[in-house]
Amino acid sequence: MDRRTFIGSTGAAALTAALPATAQTAANAATSNPNDAKLRTLLDRFFYDRVGDNPEGATALGLDTGERAALKSQLNDGSAKGIQADLARSKRELAELRAINPGSLSPAAKLDYEIVSYQLQRGIAGAERFTYGASMGRFAPYVLTQLTGAYRDTPDFLNGQHRIKDAADADAYVARVAAFATAIDQDTQRQREDAARGVFAPDYVLDTTLKLMGSLRDQPADQTVPVTALATKLKAANLPDARVAEATRIMTTQVFPALDRQRALITELRAKATHDAGVWRLPDGEAYYAAAVEAATTVAMPGEEVHRLGLAQVAEISGRIDAILRAQGMTQGTVGERLVALNKRPDQVYPNTEAGKAALLAQLSAQIGAMQKRLPEQFSTLPKAPVEVRRVPPSIEAGSPGGYYQNATLDGSRPGIYYINLRDTFDRPKFGLATLTHHEAVPGHHLQVMLALESQNIPLIRRRGGFSGYTEGWALYTEQLADEMGMFEGDPLSQVGYLQSLLFRATRLVVDSGMHHKRWSREKATDYFIATTGIARGRSQNEIDRYTVWPGQACSYKIGHTVWVRLRDAVKKKQGAAFDPRKFHAVLLDGAMPLAILERMVTERMLR
């Protein structure tokens, strides 16, 4: 489990500097079990130790002040030495955790123990067996891709996370621009070392990576995101703009040369790259994929089983879509072909213009508002933090997912943000927008993530859990929940959009296992994806390329969804007329966890 996953996951975790001490005090005072208090103190120490070695996480958490103020001038250590330090620390932590007898803990503390122990054990096992890429949290075999690397992450981090209120903050920002060059070189060195073992991305991934590198490098330094973001922040803080010239100089003399070195390596690797999509070609590649699937889903499931499950669910969901489309008079062609035709209808696509994109964003905001009004029907506790929609920064649109969520800060300085990729509005037809909103915002990621972050009852280290099967399964479950709540009543095309989303996630099981287990080509995976889902080629290709570099992660959605629905339906069947969805959904207050632990917890509380 690496630092980013343990304290930030893929989104930036957020806690105020004042909160942790009061939360720990309250937790320790609330229990008469001394071992519970000992465990909470230990887990909080783990959390703060990791914050101290994760400058970017500290900024995202709002903890780069006071005694940690120096972190605000630094970026994370992405070197091989830094990764080994993470592994060594995880081993020390696991040893300390095992010194506590879980049998001596209260049920709530025992749950904390079990979840953190699971994270540590899985992270250590991955890092020890697979010594290339990343394997302590999300498995990502390649250091540099369209989705990984400081070259793409740092500008977005500086723009979106580093706040400037005074001169010290501004100086820290400039120091981070200088550190950007080191971060790039660290990635370059690690990728070079992995490449010596034959571990680097396929040719088509490297093509996109080079394109994204060029979008940063091939422009005047004073027009790059790190510099323009600094100028905007200085103006907002009423600070002089002299630091803009210094940042421009650093970009020119330090960052650009580092980018040139990195781009030269990727160009060299591109000449040697194969077109094979799957990780089966890598050292111990078949085992890597099996471990990647388990890391993402928290379920041990062989690639062949993943594939069979996907095919079965594709057939079932396609049948449901077929019935609705036929009722709408759309009878010609396969389900996928009819979905393509629906996507092409002028009434279903916003113009691919700035005005069209603004109208699309306005529709998403209205959808958030409509669902917010209905949430009390299903949830007794709601997040305090608001959520809003923003477009993915154009500078990283080419490699970014179609939509994703970034959680709010608890100090109110930033809301939860639902990002949508508007590279081409054709990729986001109107009939599917509400379902995406339910997934990324409410009642999906925003509600689940923020209820855990705002909790005073679970340890700090667990408030941003990195269990994709739980979190993505929940978000997909809430798409179904929205349909059950009647959000698409009288709007059959939006219901088709919801079912297409389910079909999309079932198809992921097929193509992810297809590429990494059955050795499908990129082209075969893309063609199957388009033919099955009817999703536009540009978006479909982006998805397939994402699965290439994040093996297993795409499986977490539908596998997690299946578990959430099965548990909810079992409780509903047992309780009958007494079933209260608000009580079932209160399980979110316990934070994210592996699916097997979730199943056991629900069984013990509601099914016995």
Side-chain angles (χ1 to χ4, degrees):
M1 180 59 59
D2 64 22
R3 291 168 293 183
R4 290 176 180 85
T5 304
F6 224 52
I7 29 185
S9 192
T10 56
L15 299 169
T16 61
L19 175 64
T22 58
Q24 180 178 332
T25 300
N28 289 342
T31 178
S32 58
N33 184 335
N35 284 330
D36 282 13
K38 181 179 178 181
L39 176 66
R40 176 61 68 95
T41 299
L42 183 66
L43 295 182
D44 285 350
R45 177 164 61 78
F46 289 176
F47 174 83
Y48 284 116
D49 286 349
R50 289 169 178 268
V51 168
D53 284 340
N54 185 353
E56 294 170 37
T59 293
L61 292 160
L63 295 175
D64 56 356
T65 59
E67 64 183 26
R68 301 182 188 86
L71 296 175
K72 198 162 193 173
S73 301
Q74 305 167 25
L75 296 175
N76 290 352
D77 182 358
S79 67
K81 182 178 179 181
I83 292 171
Q84 286 303 307
D86 285 345
L87 175 59
R89 178 172 48 212
S90 291
K91 290 180 176 180
R92 291 194 304 271
E93 290 171 343
L94 184 58
E96 289 186 84
L97 191 62
R98 284 174 169 169
I100 297 176
N101 176 10
S104 69
L105 301 172
S106 68
K110 189 175 181 180
L111 182 67
D112 295 332
Y113 179 100
E114 187 175 9
I115 292 169
V116 175
S117 178
Y118 177 96
Q119 289 179 295
L120 289 168
Q121 290 181 70
R122 296 302 306 170
I124 291 167
E128 288 187 328
R129 179 161 187 179
F130 308 107
T131 56
Y132 51 84
S135 53
M136 289 187 74
R138 168 184 288 160
F139 275 50
Y142 314 115
V143 176
L144 291 169
T145 70
Q146 83 281 18
L147 290 172
T148 53
Y151 82 92
R152 73 177 301 283
D153 294 338
T154 300
D156 191 40
F157 167 76
L158 290 172
N159 181 33
Q161 301 288 341
H162 188 114
R163 286 174 282 177
I164 293 180
K165 303 185 300 293
D166 53 33
D169 291 343
D171 289 339
Y173 185 105
V174 174
R176 275 180 159 162
V177 175
F180 185 19
T182 300
I184 292 170
D185 281 335
Q186 288 174 338
D187 285 347
T188 301
Q189 180 59 27
R190 284 181 54 223
Q191 181 62 87
R192 190 181 301 280
E193 291 169 358
D194 282 357
R197 303 170 59 193
V199 181
F200 52 97
D203 52 12
Y204 57 90
V205 167
L206 296 182
D207 285 340
T208 305
T209 304
L210 286 168
K211 178 181 178 180
L212 289 171
M213 287 178 177
S215 70
L216 175 62
R217 176 62 180 88
D218 298 337
Q219 61 181 321
D222 63 356
Q223 294 180 28
T224 59
V225 170
V227 178
T228 58
L230 174 61
T232 299
K233 292 171 189 286
L234 290 173
K235 184 176 181 180
N238 293 315
L239 292 170
D241 63 1
R243 293 176 183 82
V244 173
E246 175 64 6
T248 301
R249 184 191 67 78
I250 292 170
M251 288 294 296
T252 301
T253 62
Q254 298 178 42
V255 176
F256 279 0
L259 272 169
D260 289 340
R261 291 188 289 272
Q262 188 165 95
R263 189 156 63 167
L265 173 63
I266 298 303
T267 301
E268 173 189 335
L269 296 179
R270 173 61 181 83
K272 305 174 183 177
T274 72
H275 196 65
D276 294 325
V279 294
W280 53 266
R281 66 184 176 82
L282 303 180
D284 207 9
E286 291 184 3
Y288 187 94
Y289 181 59
V293 171
E294 186 169 359
T297 66
T298 66
V299 174
M301 185 176 290
E304 195 65 31
E305 186 177 348
V306 172
H307 201 75
R308 287 197 302 268
L309 176 64
L311 289 172
Q313 295 204 357
V314 163
E316 188 270 331
I317 299 166
S318 295
R320 295 169 65 187
I321 296 174
D322 177 58
I324 298 175
L325 292 177
R326 287 183 178 279
Q328 295 300 304
M330 299 182 68
T331 60
Q332 300 301 309
T334 66
V335 166
E337 289 168 344
R338 281 175 277 167
L339 289 171
V340 169
L342 182 60
N343 195 156
K344 291 179 178 179
R345 278 177 30 177
D347 66 316
Q348 291 300 315
V349 180
Y350 281 101
N352 195 36
T353 62
E354 288 306 308
K357 293 174 182 181
L360 190 154
L361 291 171
Q363 179 174 342
L364 300 184
S365 294
Q367 289 165 349
I368 291 173
M371 177 55 83
Q372 290 275 22
K373 295 176 182 177
R374 300 284 304 276
L375 291 178
E377 299 171 19
Q378 298 286 330
F379 303 94
S380 297
T381 306
L382 299 177
K384 298 180 180 66
V387 60
E388 64 181 48
V389 62
R390 299 180 188 175
R391 64 182 295 186
V392 170
S395 60
I396 59 172
E397 282 178 342
S400 293
Y404 55 92
Y405 171 75
Q406 181 184 89
N407 55 258
T409 55
L410 295 186
D411 61 3
S413 61
R414 187 182 66 248
I417 303 170
Y418 154 29
Y419 282 101
I420 184 166
N421 193 329
L422 296 183
R423 179 177 57 177
D424 188 340
T425 56
F426 183 74
D427 293 341
R428 290 295 165 193
K430 295 178 182 179
F431 65 89
L433 291 177
T435 287
L436 183 64
T437 299
H438 299 147
H439 182 106
E440 300 294 348
V442 285
H445 286 316
H446 179 68
L447 193 144
Q448 178 262 312
V449 169
M450 292 310 302
L451 284 181
L453 278 175
E454 294 174 356
S455 171
Q456 297 285 314
N457 298 320
I458 56 178
L460 298 164
I461 205 163
R462 285 200 50 232
R463 295 189 194 177
R464 187 63 171 93
F467 299 106
S468 189
Y470 179 103
T471 58
E472 297 297 352
W474 166 262
L476 194 54
Y477 161 74
T478 64
E479 296 181 24
Q480 177 175 329
L481 183 64
D483 181 51
E484 293 169 347
M485 292 168 65
M487 297 301 291
F488 306 134
E489 189 172 346
D491 186 3
L493 292 186
S494 286
Q495 189 173 48
V496 167
Y498 147 63
L499 290 172
Q500 185 188 39
S501 179
L502 285 187
L503 180 63
F504 168 39
R505 274 39 178 259
T507 304
R508 281 176 164 178
L509 297 175
V510 179
V511 296
D512 193 85
S513 58
M515 289 190 294
H516 298 296
H517 172 68
K518 300 180 82 66
R519 305 192 177 192
W520 284 13
S521 67
R522 180 202 194 199
E523 288 71 25
K524 182 174 181 177
T526 304
D527 289 344
Y528 178 87
F529 197 92
I530 295 170
T532 303
T533 67
I535 291 174
R537 178 166 289 276
R539 177 183 165 199
S540 293
Q541 192 66 81
N542 215 39
E543 290 290 330
I544 295 300
D545 294 354
R546 167 186 166 183
Y547 314 152
T548 301
V549 302
W550 283 348
Q553 192 272 339
C555 300
S556 61
Y557 298 72
K558 202 64 181 67
I559 290 173
H561 166 259
T562 301
V563 171
W564 274 107
V565 173
R566 175 164 48 81
L567 290 175
R568 192 276 311 269
D569 288 353
V571 174
K572 190 173 182 179
K573 180 178 180 181
K574 179 178 177 60
Q575 296 180 352
F579 175 74
D580 184 345
R582 294 170 298 182
K583 291 181 179 179
F584 175 77
H585 295 145
V587 71
L588 293 178
L589 299 174
D590 290 289
M593 61 190 71
L595 292 173
I597 298 177
L598 172 67
E599 185 159 9
R600 192 189 68 230
M601 185 179 72
V602 170
T603 299
E604 291 174 351
R605 292 183 184 179
M606 306 180 198
L607 293 173
R608 287 183 180 170

